């Protein structure tokens, strides 16, 4: 059996997941690139170029338990049950102030980001436990500890992932399984372009605030957003380490938001976030 390391990554059709798949392959890993629509795999393999032979595209839809089971069954069979790393990266977003946001949109974000990630992880744990080796890394977000107006569903899903991963780390440590979270800051990905938007209509008290928020968010990405390849390199560097911390803020803005926790009162943090997001006091 090959000594190369194997990684399964969810959400590799674009953005950080796609960049991570290429970065892992370039570092010598065997990459199983999970994506809902495998026709997007052509772009990934083209980008990988000379290391494309290290990448296997796998159909993986986190909203389908059958898809999850078949994907993991294939990956474990192909790598001889030696999956060294699961990188939970897939996610979705919906933009809208909570009062006027449809419940279906809120639940959709939670189903993909939280419950789908939990389901995928549950499928790989038995093989890792039996080998008493393996690592689960989950990409959360700076949003896990930085409140954001109009993104409460996304923030809730990422904070839920943090709490779940903390508990999972305690449960699995005696079986040789390492658990960690990666908390990226702002990157230029398509997640916000693909997000469902709810403004509430002209009679909504939130419409103007939503417009101001989106203007502020666009400026933030333009000014401080980094290319996904930068974050991907940081993730691969962490994965190659023998031991890594549980929490791993990636990017200056992520570290900036992380430091005030437990130090700066929430009232002050909320005021600062409101000002930066364009929905502070008139």
């Amino acid at each position: 059996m090959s000594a190369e390391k194997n990684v399964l990554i969810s959400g590799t059709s674009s953005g950080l997941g796609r960049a991570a798949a290429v970065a892992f392959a370039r570092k010598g890993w065997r990459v199983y690139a999970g994506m809902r629509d495998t026709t997007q795999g052509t772009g990934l393999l083209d980008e990988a170029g000379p290391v494309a032979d290290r990448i296997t595209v796998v159909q993986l839809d986190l909203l389908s338990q059958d898809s999850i089971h078949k994907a993991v069954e294939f990956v474990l069979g192909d790598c001889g049950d030696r999956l060294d790393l699961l990188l939970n990266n897939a996610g979705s977003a919906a933009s809208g102030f909570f009062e006027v946001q449809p419940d279906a949109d809120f639940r959709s974000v939670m189903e993909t980001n939280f419950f789908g990630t939990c389901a995928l992880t549950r499928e790989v744990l038995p093989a890792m436990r039996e080998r008493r080796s393996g690592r689960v890394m989950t990409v959360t977000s700076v949003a896990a500890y930085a409140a954001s107006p109009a993104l409460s569903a996304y923030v809730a899903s990422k904070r839920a992932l943090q709490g779940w991963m903390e508990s999972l780390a305690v449960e699995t440590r005696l079986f040789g399984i390492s658990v960690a979270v990666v908390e990226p800051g702002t990157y230029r990905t398509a997640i916000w372009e693909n997000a469902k938007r709810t403004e509430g209509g002209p009679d909504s008290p939130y419409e103007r605030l939503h417009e101001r928020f989106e203007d502020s968010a666009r400026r933030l990405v333009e000014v401080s957003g980094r290319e996904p390849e930068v974050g991907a390199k940081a993730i691969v560097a962490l994965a190659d380490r023998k031991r890594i911390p549980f929490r791993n803020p990636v990017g200056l803005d992520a570290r900036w938001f992380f430091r005030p926790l437990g130090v700066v009162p929430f009232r002050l943090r909320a005021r600062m976030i409101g000002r930066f997001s364009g929905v502070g006091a008139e």
Side-chain angles (χ1 to χ4, degrees):
M1 182 169 55
S2 172
E4 69 182 355
K5 292 181 287 187
N6 304 293
V7 56
L8 168 59
I9 309 173
S10 63
T12 59
S13 60
S14 64
L16 191 59
R18 178 166 164 171
V22 174
F24 271 105
R26 287 174 177 165
K27 289 287 287 185
W29 289 64
R30 162 62 59 183
V31 179
Y32 296 93
M35 59 181 69
R36 184 168 50 188
D37 179 6
T38 55
T39 63
Q40 301 294 317
T42 301
L44 167 60
L45 297 177
D46 287 344
E47 183 176 333
V51 296
D53 61 335
R54 291 187 172 276
I55 300 176
T56 301
V57 175
V58 180
Q59 200 282 328
L60 175 60
D61 182 356
L62 293 188
L63 296 179
S64 167
Q65 182 61 50
D66 184 60
S67 173
I68 291 171
H69 176 75
K70 288 179 178 178
V72 173
E73 184 178 51
F74 167 78
V75 170
L76 293 178
D78 195 66
C79 69
D81 285 342
R82 190 179 184 277
L83 182 62
D84 299 283
L85 170 64
L86 168 64
L87 179 61
N88 289 311
N89 166 77
S92 66
S95 176
F97 281 73
F98 177 72
E99 182 183 343
V100 296
Q101 185 175 43
D103 186 63
D105 290 354
F106 198 99
R107 289 178 180 272
S108 176
V109 173
M110 292 297 295
E111 286 289 344
T112 299
N113 296 3
F114 181 67
F115 291 109
T117 297
C118 290
L120 176 58
T121 302
R122 185 181 284 117
E123 284 286 333
V124 307
L125 286 179
M128 290 184 174
R129 174 173 47 76
E130 290 180 12
R131 285 182 52 237
R132 303 189 71 83
S133 176
R135 177 174 286 170
V136 177
M137 293 173 63
T138 297
V139 178
T140 60
S141 170
V142 64
Y145 42 78
S148 175
L151 294 176
S152 62
Y154 183 77
V155 171
S157 69
K158 294 301 184 178
R159 193 165 295 183
L161 284 173
Q162 296 273 129
W164 164 65
M165 286 288 285
E166 288 181 9
S167 297
L168 185 67
V170 177
E171 294 177 357
T172 60
R173 60 187 299 270
L174 295 180
F175 297 102
I177 302 172
S178 172
V179 172
V181 293
V182 180
E183 303 153 320
T186 305
Y187 288 88
R188 296 187 179 97
T189 71
I191 186 170
W192 305 117
E193 297 173 9
N194 298 329
K196 292 184 178 179
R197 288 170 169 77
T198 302
E199 296 184 356
D203 296 329
S204 170
Y206 299 106
E207 182 182 28
R208 184 164 174 264
L209 291 176
H210 199 162
E211 291 174 354
R212 287 165 53 181
F213 163 75
E214 293 203 327
D215 287 342
S216 177
R218 278 192 290 269
R219 288 195 300 270
L220 175 64
V221 173
E222 290 172 0
V223 173
S224 61
R226 292 171 297 280
E227 295 302 322
E229 290 76 14
V230 177
K233 289 180 180 179
I235 291 173
V236 175
L238 287 170
D240 275 334
R241 292 172 57 177
K242 185 175 182 180
R243 293 183 179 179
I244 64 173
F246 174 76
R247 297 184 184 278
N248 298 277
V250 176
L252 289 176
D253 54 343
R255 290 191 288 272
W256 186 87
F257 274 108
F258 181 76
R259 285 172 181 161
L261 291 181
V263 178
V264 178
F266 178 75
R267 182 177 298 178
L268 178 57
R269 291 176 58 222
R271 188 180 305 165
M272 293 168 60
I273 292 170
R275 181 175 299 174
F276 289 143
S277 64
V279 299
E282 295 286 349

